[in-house]
Amino acid sequence: MLSKNLIRKLTLTTALLLSAVLFGAPSVIADTQAAPDEATRADTHTVLITGANRGIGLELARQFAADQWRVIGTARKPDEADELRAAGARVVQLDVTSATSVGNMARELADTPIDLLINNAGIQPLMWTLEEVDFDDFERALAVNTTGPVRVTRALLPNLRSGKLRRIVNITTNLSSIAGNTDGGFYGYRESKAALNMFTKSLAMDLGPEGFVCIALHPGWVRTDMGGPQAPLQVEESARGMIAVIDRLTPGDNGAFLTYSGERMAW
């Protein structure tokens, strides 16, 4: 049987605990509840997507934002990037063909670690035969699709080195495959993207020892302004597939040429 003194001690202890719950616990509970949010913010990764104001880039921005990534989306005309801004992205002005524009972006983001760079900005000139080649269009395709990613990647390399994931994804096309070119055509587009693939491979060899994983990624034939209404793949499915591929990347994938469904393509 408990003594009266012990009962009094237990009663006092109970009263103190009850008082702590009623008056002291809210701050404890608040701290406990706040911790996961702080941890989530600390663990959030940052992705920068070029050409993110429409098409594949915009859908990637939407889906990464929905997955709680910090999204930086670039646009040549930020004033016209309302949908990108509505997706929760930080909008940064960028023209990948302009050294001045790329330099301004790099200065604006100087203190921002970037975990994943997606070089998505691209154009597709419609030149089916050699006779149809317009050399101004051909050179612009090279400037946007090839030189642009080189310029952007070099400018953001310090940001990528300070990030945790060290991932670089260059959006390419199955039409860039030399082994897969069985019907010709697509002048300017094929060449510029094949050169992008080679840049990707060189990046992989150079940066792999630092823990980078660099890949060329084919989004499929997607129903966008570039892909056209006859394309069989919805942009939501393409973006979802590419994000799944990116999430599964390992050091063994460094230098790979992959599709949105995770298949390996012949160079």
Side-chain angles (χ1 to χ4, degrees):
M1 180 178 294
L2 297 174
S3 67
K4 291 183 179 179
N5 287 337
L6 182 56
I7 291 172
R8 279 196 296 269
K9 288 179 180 179
L10 289 173
T11 302
L12 178 60
T13 301
T14 301
L16 290 172
L17 287 172
L18 180 60
S19 175
V21 169
L22 291 175
F23 301 106
S27 61
V28 175
I29 293 173
D31 291 343
T32 303
Q33 290 175 339
D37 291 337
E38 291 171 2
T40 299
R41 286 194 295 272
D43 292 341
T44 297
H45 294 131
T46 298
V47 56
L48 187 143
I49 307 166
T50 66
N53 60 312
R54 62 189 179 97
I56 291 171
L58 177 58
E59 186 58 30
L60 284 169
R62 285 173 174 152
Q63 293 194 24
F64 272 113
D67 289 342
Q68 304 305 309
W69 283 60
R70 295 186 188 94
V71 178
I72 303 170
T74 75
R76 286 189 301 115
K77 299 177 180 179
D79 292 343
E80 300 177 8
D82 292 340
E83 290 183 272
L84 178 58
R85 203 169 279 107
R90 173 182 175 182
V91 180
V92 175
Q93 195 282 330
L94 178 65
D95 178 350
V96 300
T97 68
S98 166
T100 299
S101 178
V102 173
N104 290 339
M105 174 201 65
R107 283 187 288 275
E108 181 176 344
L109 300 175
D111 298 323
T112 304
I114 295 173
D115 298 286
L116 168 63
L117 168 62
I118 302 180
N119 283 308
N120 167 74
I123 60 172
Q124 181 178 348
L126 299 178
M127 298 181 288
W128 310 113
T129 68
L130 185 58
E131 291 81 3
E132 293 175 347
V133 170
D134 179 298
F135 286 101
D136 288 338
D137 290 345
F138 197 103
E139 290 175 1
R140 178 160 177 76
L142 290 169
V144 176
N145 297 347
T146 308
T147 309
V150 176
R151 185 179 279 120
V152 169
T153 304
R154 187 176 74 170
L156 294 178
L157 193 53
N159 307 72
L160 290 159
R161 282 183 168 134
S162 63
K164 296 178 182 178
L165 295 183
R166 297 191 170 189
R167 301 289 186 261
I168 300 172
V169 175
N170 292 327
I171 302 300
T172 186
T173 171
N174 62 329
L175 294 171
S176 67
S177 170
I178 294 174
N181 185 357
T182 60
D183 53 3
F186 295 96
Y187 287 90
Y189 189 55
R190 285 190 190 272
E191 293 85 351
S192 62
K193 289 294 190 176
L196 176 64
N197 291 354
M198 183 60 78
F199 168 61
T200 306
K201 190 69 173 180
S202 290
L203 271 183
M205 297 302 99
D206 290 343
L207 297 180
E210 297 182 37
F212 278 80
V213 176
C214 309
I215 66 165
L217 185 57
H218 168 47
W221 184 12
V222 186
R223 198 174 305 162
T224 61
D225 290 344
M226 182 182 291
Q230 71 276 26
L233 192 61
Q234 294 284 357
V235 67
E236 294 84 1
E237 182 181 355
S238 171
R240 188 162 51 247
M242 287 192 288
I243 290 173
V245 169
I246 292 167
D247 283 345
R248 295 194 300 265
L249 288 176
T250 69
D253 296 311
N254 189 36
F257 181 4
L258 304 173
T259 73
Y260 76 97
S261 59
E263 299 174 0
R264 289 181 179 264
M265 293 204 67
W267 294 104

